[in-house]
Amino acid sequence: MSIYPSIIRVLTAAFSRFAIPFTFATTLGLAAVALEGAHDPAMRVLSAADVSAGLPAPSAAAALLGKSGAAAMLVLLFLAVTSATSAELIAVSSVLTYDVYKVRFSV
C-alpha cells in the first residue's frame, strides 16, 4: 500500500479550492479599478501599500454595498479560513488513519 494516492487526492482538493477565492478577488479587484476610474465618491483612493495589503476587494465591496459589504467580506474571510482549516484537518487525519496507521499496524 502506498501513501502517494492519498497525497495526490489531498493536493488536488487543495488546488481545486483556489477557484472561488480567485474569482472573488478578480471580480472585486476589477470593480475597485472601475470605481476608482469612474471617480466614485464612495470608493477611496488606494495607495500602493493598500493594494499590496489586499484591500481592493474589501474597499470595492464597501463602496458598492456600504457597511454591509464590509461585513460580508469579513464573514466571507472567516468562512474561507475555517473551511480550509477543517478540510486540511480532515485530509491529514485521513492520510494518517488509512495510510500510516492501517499500514503500520495492519488493522
Side-chain angles (χ1 to χ4, degrees):
M1 223 176 193
S2 175
I3 195 169
Y4 295 113
S6 294
I7 291 174
I8 290 172
R9 283 187 219 120
V10 168
L11 291 176
T12 303
F15 287 133
S16 65
R17 198 177 6 243
F18 284 125
I20 294 171
F22 284 161
T23 302
F24 273 111
T26 302
T27 303
L28 289 173
L30 290 174
V33 170
L35 288 171
E36 267 189 7
H39 302 293
D40 188 351
M43 181 69 185
R44 67 183 189 96
V45 177
L46 298 173
S47 67
D50 292 339
V51 173
S52 295
L55 294 179
S59 297
L64 290 171
L65 301 172
K67 288 185 181 181
S68 60
M73 284 300 295
L74 185 62
V75 169
L76 181 71
L77 179 65
F78 173 75
L79 292 175
V81 169
T82 55
S83 173
T85 303
S86 171
E88 291 300 323
L89 287 174
I90 291 170
V92 168
S93 69
S94 295
V95 167
L96 290 176
T97 300
Y98 290 109
D99 293 337
V100 176
Y101 181 77
K102 189 175 181 181
V103 170
R104 299 289 181 224
F105 297 107
S106 299
V107 175

